[in-house]
Amino acid sequence: MAGSTFGNIFKIASWGESHGKGIGVVVDGCPAGVPLTEEDIQIYLNRRKPGQSRFATPRAEDDVVEILSGVFEGVTTGTPISLIVYNKTQRSSDYSEIASYYRPGHADYTFDRKYGFRDYRGGGRSSGRETIARVAAGAIAAKILQSLSVEVHAYTKAIGNVEVDMEHFNADEIFQNMLYMPDSDAAKRAEKLIDEKRMQTDSVGGVVECVVSGLVAGMGEPVFEKLDANLAKAIVSIGAVKAFEIGDGTKVSKAFGSENNDSFMADDEGRITKRTNHAGGILGGISDGSDIVLRAYFKPTPSIFKEQRTVNREGKNINVNIKGRHDPIIVPRAVVVVEAMTAITVLDMMLMGMTADIHRIKRFFDDLR
Amino acid sequence: MAGSTFGNIFKIASWGESHGKGIGVVVDGCPAGVPLTEEDIQIYLNRRKPGQSRFATPRAEDDVVEILSGVFEGVTTGTPISLIVYNKTQRSSDYSEIASYYRPGHADYTFDRKYGFRDYRGGGRSSGRETIARVAAGAIAAKILQSLSVEVHAYTKAIGNVEVDMEHFNADEIFQNMLYMPDSDAAKRAEKLIDEKRMQTDSVGGVVECVVSGLVAGMGEPVFEKLDANLAKAIVSIGAVKAFEIGDGTKVSKAFGSENNDSFMADDEGRITKRTNHAGGILGGISDGSDIVLRAYFKPTPSIFKEQRTVNREGKNINVNIKGRHDPIIVPRAVVVVEAMTAITVLDMMLMGMTADIHRIKRFFDDLR
Amino acid sequence: MAGSTFGNIFKIASWGESHGKGIGVVVDGCPAGVPLTEEDIQIYLNRRKPGQSRFATPRAEDDVVEILSGVFEGVTTGTPISLIVYNKTQRSSDYSEIASYYRPGHADYTFDRKYGFRDYRGGGRSSGRETIARVAAGAIAAKILQSLSVEVHAYTKAIGNVEVDMEHFNADEIFQNMLYMPDSDAAKRAEKLIDEKRMQTDSVGGVVECVVSGLVAGMGEPVFEKLDANLAKAIVSIGAVKAFEIGDGTKVSKAFGSENNDSFMADDEGRITKRTNHAGGILGGISDGSDIVLRAYFKPTPSIFKEQRTVNREGKNINVNIKGRHDPIIVPRAVVVVEAMTAITVLDMMLMGMTADIHRIKRFFDDLR
Amino acid sequence: MAGSTFGNIFKIASWGESHGKGIGVVVDGCPAGVPLTEEDIQIYLNRRKPGQSRFATPRAEDDVVEILSGVFEGVTTGTPISLIVYNKTQRSSDYSEIASYYRPGHADYTFDRKYGFRDYRGGGRSSGRETIARVAAGAIAAKILQSLSVEVHAYTKAIGNVEVDMEHFNADEIFQNMLYMPDSDAAKRAEKLIDEKRMQTDSVGGVVECVVSGLVAGMGEPVFEKLDANLAKAIVSIGAVKAFEIGDGTKVSKAFGSENNDSFMADDEGRITKRTNHAGGILGGISDGSDIVLRAYFKPTPSIFKEQRTVNREGKNINVNIKGRHDPIIVPRAVVVVEAMTAITVLDMMLMGMTADIHRIKRFFDDLR
């Protein structure tokens, strides 16, 4: 079954393994007329690159994107945009041992059961390098959204038990610390936690929050293709995400209706907004004009240096010490991935949202004549 | 855009409004040869029926399902199964007032913005009655899963701040109380909370948990069509759900790798299982043979009797007291809806999972010759 | 696998068997704001009804459509439109014999091989009654197309070896004869042929031509989702169609480039048209602003009274005389089916064609703010 | 809208322009465990390469395929297979003139109308080079089909008015002449015709026939996803195809039921076949176990050296002499393209056909435990 294709109108097909020739993505359904350069995409890719901080793996990666098709004289043509990032040559020997057993918390076992065998080099298709394709495609979606006055921004909300104090939220701070946290004080405490866990040869998880602003009301489809349902799929499809929230998320289960309902208000021009935004910008699966607010909860990196119990391919119980270079945290690198998947989903649903009303459709085709 | 269609191989198309002629669903892609009666489906529908308890709306509904096609001599034929539940005649006048303003927490405003107008009778397409279609289709999926040795069971995990004590989990208890809670003590406390909130003309939310047992390892597709990603979409597409969790869910963000990793173990026959199940039965988006465990967080019913501020269709700020009959809680009725959407998704991904390995495909076609 | 669902944005799910409770269709993705009555649909259904002429089966059918959802106060709401046509009670005994053997030219054998058994009453799902769903959905598509200034018209081009003389093409004539031929002289000769074949207990095929006028240039997508490719699928999916042509069709294989190329010409305002239309209105899979012209070739009705050789379900060679009431020709009744499938496909591709160009998309969303 | 993606389970995403960096395809949904080398694909690509004969353009192309992902140690892994063929550097100046006007018979005008502009270098995305992606993906599909005992073979049936004499059909001859004709005498006459047309600076069309043998009965889905409907879409999506036939094709419209019906027969073991194959191996849209026989009708190459009338981008009528190197015929190069699209479609429908019957599904999952 084809599992590496995502989206309906703005559709992406991702490919590549961690230790194969490269990672790439084909963006099929990108509108024509969008100015696009490799630089536009590279900026996003650099945000997920490791080696930028002491919290990421020290591998000297250099993920340079190349546009292979779909752009002519600096502008998208409407035909598929093929993007490639070549993998740098790496010694596969680092990973040869893991072929023989199943790493806890990884997809080794499930791939073996699904396909009968697997590409064991560095995780193969289930490696985090797969997110290069998501981010590259997301950069294009984000650029188009900007031209439609929609902005998508993500940041680290929490690392382990260190949470950002939303009273001290400072957007400018996000790119000032290695952890992409909008609160310098929390960032410092989180750094300390990560250092501590690294010393203990352990790892830690965290939370990424993403805000979509400027989206017109009316996007998302009733029943199954709700905007939040599609965002949930997009976000949970990111490796290591174990929970998804929209608006107040899990908290709503303990709230009362009188607290949780956002009342509407109109300004002097009759422009309607909501007094609060517990709903996270979505009512009945359709955008209501407020900010979309979502959160992704990431598990701690499964690759740790501690001794662990597991089973080898022969079905024997063994103890293992997994070698290699491990991140004690993947959350900071995942921030741009959440942003990318959100952008792709929102753009796709905006394009799908153009056919809801016959009067708008008529106007569209009248303009073409 | 078509938003009422769900699934890839086992595909459903849902239709109907709360105060129209009826609610229905077409199940396209159901395998042939499945024994199926209206009774099989009615049992599931009865679990979402209101009027069973003092916690549900006192409307005298009677949702009787009729099979219109796709079953011949008691067995599915492989062609579309059309199911219909007629709405009983109801006075639409109850709802005439709400046409003039936007109810807080409802989809009135977003439908108006999306389509230019809406069917305001009882919420129209965004009414909870829409879930009849989900449950009817889910009953068929559940029956097929059972024949494949897969069981899906949901129950109420929490109502407001009253949580089930998992130490006292008792599956037999689930159908012994009106709230579908597996803990009679928690059920009693929850009933008290609901009564209290009803007196205060307020409402309360809750949590539904769902467990899938017996699923073979290897189901779910890498990258975008992960089993958990599709479950997330299925569950968040249910009205009022604001958060989705798989396995340990939001808790993983505060766990350390050494705690969160589930170690593998083999029994004497080399049969592999996990010592713990923090992962909720899914690794890398693919089932690992353990139970799938997911949770849906429901907001409190937005329909409350308290006076609320809002805006009318003319864009004026007004105060409203919404009349009608309101549930102070929808969670108990949503239990079977979560079960249904989970069953549909798991079955669809099992059917998609049949094409992963050429050796199994060869065996399949060799058997046909 | 779900085979009864068609379309991307304007998506239909068809259901029902010839001798079940009824035939229906769910139209998911119909834009809101379209005035729609049952009469609009009934007019189309009446064109495929048998019993209108001596060339159709004398069964007293009466296919009355009912709208079950998706229309509120005479206007579509944007949510699924469910349509149903109940089957009149019929003696199934007419068909009991055919359960025991495979009728030549029918799908009896292939259904048995696919599903292990079949609903043998009157052909079940493979009966011509299935086209009721196509025509009902097509009536809606045609109505929307008209509001977008696009007209779709089909007629009988040939019956057996009697072809319409295109020099004497008379659109007014189409509804003046039982065969929907635009040439009264050809219609008379065709009637004679059909009578002759009926006497010989034989049957005859024919050709339906369909013209789409008023379609703007630019609709259809490069490579796989070409407008003509989607029309080909739509038309060949109609039972009994064995060939599909666009423009000059099969004749192009014998033409030379200098004859077959349609040269462009501009009028004084720079409006571009083609001097000829060998291409049938499509270049590179995209509409060019000329009329779309396509043809469907229908095989003779397989149900004939002559003795035929076949095999029974026990695998024995037998001779059979199939009883029942047979049409010596299905082409006239298929005219509106071709029109319907063409309308559905063209509308779907117009809706998909709205997202090709970022400048038009920007204008669309600017209008919404 | 995403138009470069094809297939449901075996899904391909094609990309690239004639004068961009290259042409490629991502095959998502290929089963794991298939031995696959670049050589397997190259053999198919070589069959569409120009420069092999005096009937193809004299450009020195050299389309070498590279596998970028999805294959590990010579075997497919079940994850996406990315294939690339780099374009050799070519002087774009050859094509600079055609940017200013619309070539008759080409997609220049429709691309301009669709997207607002186009990549005018050598046709851009509408160039015949796009078929490299189809053939590369088709080679993989064909290899898998062979392992399932299904063979797909295409050949040239006619060039202009020179038709193969099916009485002298000789499969061995197909690869013995430049035109891929199974009849050496016809090949000689066709070569003469082509030479003649080249002298006259004109071009000629033709017919490709494709036969699928070894396909089990029961593949293809009722109503819209019929096997022949999907083949029709696949074949008509190939540039220059203007008609599609299955079995007897257009001829059926003049046949009588008594001639056209294929009677069934059983051998001593009760194995059922048909005495004739007018149906082309498909009844009710489902394979019947006989050979699938289809035909594609190609128009003459639109690029000719003769002076032609057209319109320039400023909307002025002009006469043009299109320079460059033109094939007088594309049919021989299209043979492998028809074979590829047929293989992709048949494989996809076989994979979809695995979920028709619950008893087979049960057996499949029982085997997995």
Side-chain angles (χ1 to χ4, degrees), chain D residues 97 101 304-308 319-324 326:
Chain D
E97 186 193 340
Y101 59 78
I304 53 174
F305 287 107
K306 279 187 195 303
E307 186 177 78
Q308 295 182 88
N319 282 17
V320 294
N321 270 294
I322 302 172
K323 296 185 196 76
H326 309 317

Side-chain angles (χ1 to χ4, degrees), chain C residues 152-155 208-212 292-296 338-339 342:
Chain C
V152 182
H153 292 298
Y155 43 83
V208 174
E209 187 163 83
C210 186
V211 177
V212 182
I292 309 287
V293 183
L294 63 85
R295 275 173 300 283
V338 169
E339 200 172 298
T342 302

Side-chain angles (χ1 to χ4, degrees), chain C residues 21-36:
Chain C
K21 291 193 180 173
I23 303 280
V25 65
V26 178
V27 179
D28 188 15
C30 181
V34 180
L36 187 73

Side-chain angles (χ1 to χ4, degrees), chain B residues 75-86:
Chain B
V75 175
T76 60
T77 60
T79 63
I81 302 169
S82 180
L83 303 174
I84 191 166
V85 170
Y86 282 100

Side-chain angles (χ1 to χ4, degrees), chain A residues 20-34:
Chain A
K21 292 192 179 174
I23 303 281
V25 64
V26 178
V27 179
D28 188 15
C30 180
V34 180

Side-chain angles (χ1 to χ4, degrees), chain D residues 41-351:
Chain D
I41 300 164
Q42 195 63 51
I43 289 167
Y44 276 76
L45 284 178
N46 290 349
R47 289 171 56 195
R48 72 163 290 292
K49 260 196 338 189
Q52 298 175 293
S53 75
R54 69 184 189 283
F55 302 118
T57 85
R59 284 172 292 191
E61 291 183 64
D62 201 5
D63 297 327
V64 179
V65 72
E66 192 182 338
I67 298 176
L68 295 174
S69 71
V71 176
F72 180 58
E73 301 184 338
V75 175
T76 60
T77 61
T79 63
I81 303 169
S82 179
L83 303 175
I84 191 167
V85 170
Y86 283 102
N87 291 335
K88 292 224 164 177
T89 321
Q90 299 200 343
R91 287 179 303 125
S92 291
S93 53
D94 290 348
Y95 294 94
S96 57
E97 186 193 340
I98 64 169
S100 67
Y101 59 78
Y102 301 119
R103 290 172 298 165
H106 280 276
D108 302 345
Y109 174 66
T110 53
F111 267 67
D112 260 19
R113 286 295 301 271
K114 181 172 196 67
Y115 296 119
F117 75 107
R118 78 195 124 104
D119 176 356
Y120 47 76
R121 298 166 303 167
R125 184 72 180 139
S126 69
S127 155
R129 277 190 73 72
E130 162 262 308
T131 58
I132 286 175
R134 301 175 186 251
V135 173
I140 300 175
K143 180 145 195 193
I144 296 171
L145 286 177
Q146 276 163 25
S147 78
L148 301 171
S149 308
V150 179
E151 299 281 339
V152 183
H153 293 297
Y155 43 82
T156 300
K157 181 85 183 296
I159 284 179
N161 57 3
V162 179
E163 277 185 60
V164 164
D165 180 353
M166 294 306 275
E167 308 264 310
H168 294 117
F169 183 97
N170 179 356
D172 297 335
E173 180 61 31
I174 296 172
F175 289 91
Q176 303 302 317
N177 65 75
M178 295 284 195
L179 301 176
Y180 298 106
M181 284 182 123
D183 169 351
S184 62
D185 184 57
K188 271 173 219 140
R189 283 180 292 128
E191 289 186 18
K192 215 179 127 201
L193 171 68
I194 295 168
D195 278 340
E196 195 182 297
K197 284 297 138 188
R198 186 206 316 280
M199 297 299 176
Q200 297 165 6
T201 63
D202 212 333
S203 63
V204 66
V207 184
V208 174
E209 188 163 82
C210 187
V211 177
V212 182
S213 51
L215 183 62
V216 293
M219 299 300 119
E221 308 295 322
V223 186
F224 300 122
E225 297 293 336
K226 290 186 163 115
L227 178 52
D228 42 356
N230 276 301
L231 286 168
K233 178 172 179 176
I235 297 303
V236 177
S237 80
I238 302 170
V241 172
K242 304 300 283 184
F244 168 84
E245 293 185 324
I246 192 89
D248 280 5
T250 59
K251 276 191 232 160
V252 298
S253 69
K254 294 184 181 165
F256 305 124
S258 57
E259 305 162 332
N260 188 66
N261 281 355
D262 301 307
S263 52
F264 292 104
M265 57 181 281
D267 64 15
D268 292 347
E269 278 89 50
R271 236 186 155 77
I272 297 174
T273 53
K274 287 156 41 218
R275 278 192 173 81
T276 51
N277 191 17
H278 299 295
I282 297 180
L283 283 169
I286 302 171
S287 64
D288 65 16
S290 306
D291 283 356
I292 309 287
V293 183
L294 62 86
R295 276 172 300 284
Y297 288 75
F298 287 83
K299 70 177 185 181
T301 324
S303 296
I304 53 174
F305 287 107
K306 279 187 195 303
E307 186 177 78
Q308 295 182 88
R309 292 187 291 179
T310 191
V311 172
N312 65 17
R313 294 201 72 192
E314 282 71 48
K316 300 286 173 227
N317 290 303
I318 58 172
N319 282 17
V320 294
N321 270 294
I322 302 172
K323 296 185 196 76
R325 288 153 304 193
H326 309 317
D327 287 350
I329 177 95
I330 58 158
V331 173
R333 295 180 59 189
V335 168
V336 70
V337 181
V338 169
E339 199 172 299
M341 291 307 296
T342 302
I344 292 168
T345 304
V346 169
L347 174 60
D348 196 34
M349 300 224 70
M350 286 181 75
L351 296 177

Side-chain angles (χ1 to χ4, degrees), chain C residues 223-243:
Chain C
V223 184
F224 300 121
E225 296 294 336
K226 291 186 163 114
L227 178 52
D228 40 357
N230 276 300
L231 286 167
K233 179 172 179 176
I235 297 305
V236 177
S237 80
I238 302 169
V241 172
K242 303 300 282 184

